Amino acid sequence: MAYQSLRLEYLQIPPVSRAYTTACVLTTAAVQLELITPFQLYFNPELIFKHFQIWRLITNFLFFGPVGFNFLFNMIFLYRYCRMLEEGSFRGRTADFVFMFLFGGFLMTLFGLFVSLVFLGQAFTIMLVYVWSRRNPYVRMNFFGLLNFQAPFLPWVLMGFSLLLGNSIIVDLLGIAVGHIYFFLEDVFPNQPGGIRILKTPSILKAIFDTPDEDPNYNPLPEERPGGFAWEFLVAGCAAVLLHCILVSDDFNH
């Protein structure tokens, strides 16, 4: 009974949020079980472009460190704000949400070539938080019962919290910068006099991720819900392929 409830709750998570969060948890579990090491996951341009370890372009966004406070903190924020974005301003626009992921990941990878960051998952989370906060400017926030502020200040509060913990704020600044670029190009510039919409979701993404409107009188069973199983198979398949590539490369190097 508990399994069924947990399964139904899991399937109610929107597909992109479910896929990304699951991939992050599976990657951390693989590291904890010593199936792979962080050295096989981190962002390294030389290994990517000279040794063709292409999976690093993806895995550096999936690892948030070993299980502990920092991992749980990041997972909570990732799950919460990714889901709120997908169920809020991106509701019914899965392809646009995926395109935001691709755009943000591309910019962070580009910036990563010039800064010494080996894992970009935390910066990606800050980007999601920033976009959500700018699209919900009047929401009142409470941070651990200590601070009350409006949503647009949340990314800066998180950066201050990182500073208090002795962490580098470069990650936070990168996430804020990429989030602002996306927000400006998507929400601000098109509404300015003479402004145009620069970010356009490719039609191939719309064909893959956006489904036609369903009959409002149709009540699907849990296993028939859009994204009910396909996303889990996709994530599991991608994780298996990445793991295989990493292990094969590791055996080759040895």
Side-chain angles (χ1 to χ4, degrees):
M1 196 69 178
Y3 167 77
Q4 288 294 331
S5 299
L6 186 62
R7 176 177 172 275
L8 289 175
E9 182 64 29
Y10 176 72
L11 293 177
Q12 287 177 359
I13 303 172
V16 178
S17 301
R18 182 170 69 238
Y20 185 41
T21 306
T22 300
C24 292
V25 172
L26 289 177
T27 301
T28 301
V31 172
Q32 288 293 119
L33 294 173
E34 298 183 350
L35 298 175
I36 55 177
T37 71
F39 295 105
Q40 297 167 303
L41 306 174
Y42 74 99
F43 180 75
N44 185 313
E46 182 177 355
L47 293 176
I48 292 171
F49 298 113
K50 291 185 178 181
H51 297 273
F52 305 107
Q53 297 183 5
I54 306 299
W55 66 82
R56 293 179 185 271
L57 291 171
I58 300 174
T59 56
N60 81 90
F61 287 99
L62 304 180
F63 184 64
F64 289 80
V67 175
F69 174 77
N70 191 58
F71 171 76
L72 294 176
F73 186 81
N74 279 289
M75 283 296 98
I76 290 172
F77 272 82
L78 170 63
Y79 167 76
R80 177 176 173 79
Y81 290 97
C82 189
R83 180 170 184 171
M84 286 198 297
L85 268 178
E86 192 170 1
E87 291 181 333
S89 58
F90 285 100
R91 186 177 184 86
R93 299 168 52 217
T94 303
D96 293 337
F97 196 44
V98 171
F99 183 64
M100 186 191 76
F101 267 57
L102 296 176
F103 177 78
F106 172 76
L107 281 187
M108 288 183 188
T109 300
L110 191 63
F111 292 145
L113 297 173
F114 305 100
V115 295
S116 56
L117 293 176
V118 293
F119 291 105
L120 297 172
Q122 184 177 341
F124 195 84
T125 300
I126 295 295
M127 179 197 77
L128 296 174
V129 171
Y130 184 89
V131 173
W132 177 87
S133 69
R134 292 302 300 268
R135 288 182 171 178
N136 297 271
Y138 303 112
V139 175
R140 297 289 299 175
M141 308 292 297
N142 184 285
F143 192 71
F144 291 132
L146 301 175
L147 292 174
N148 292 301
F149 52 89
Q150 288 184 297
F153 292 100
L154 179 58
W156 305 100
V157 171
L158 292 177
M159 186 177 72
F161 186 65
S162 294
L163 194 62
L164 287 176
L165 293 178
N167 300 327
S168 171
I169 61 172
I170 298 298
V171 173
D172 300 82
L173 289 174
L174 176 60
I176 290 172
V178 173
H180 182 73
I181 291 172
Y182 176 83
F183 177 76
F184 178 80
L185 294 178
E186 178 71 11
D187 293 37
V188 179
F189 184 65
N191 297 317
Q192 299 299 312
I196 59 173
R197 188 180 180 89
I198 297 176
L199 299 180
K200 295 182 179 179
T201 303
S203 31
I204 187 173
L205 291 181
K206 289 184 175 293
I208 295 172
F209 294 102
D210 284 351
T211 56
D213 294 335
E214 296 180 352
D215 182 352
N217 297 320
Y218 175 62
N219 185 25
L221 295 173
E223 62 268 19
E224 294 177 300
R225 290 173 183 162
F229 285 103
W231 282 89
E232 282 75 14
F233 285 131
L234 178 62
V235 171
C238 290
V241 171
L242 286 172
L243 180 59
H244 174 73
C245 292
I246 293 170
L247 293 177
V248 168
S249 174
D250 187 54
D251 291 340
F252 177 78
N253 292 332
H254 284 83

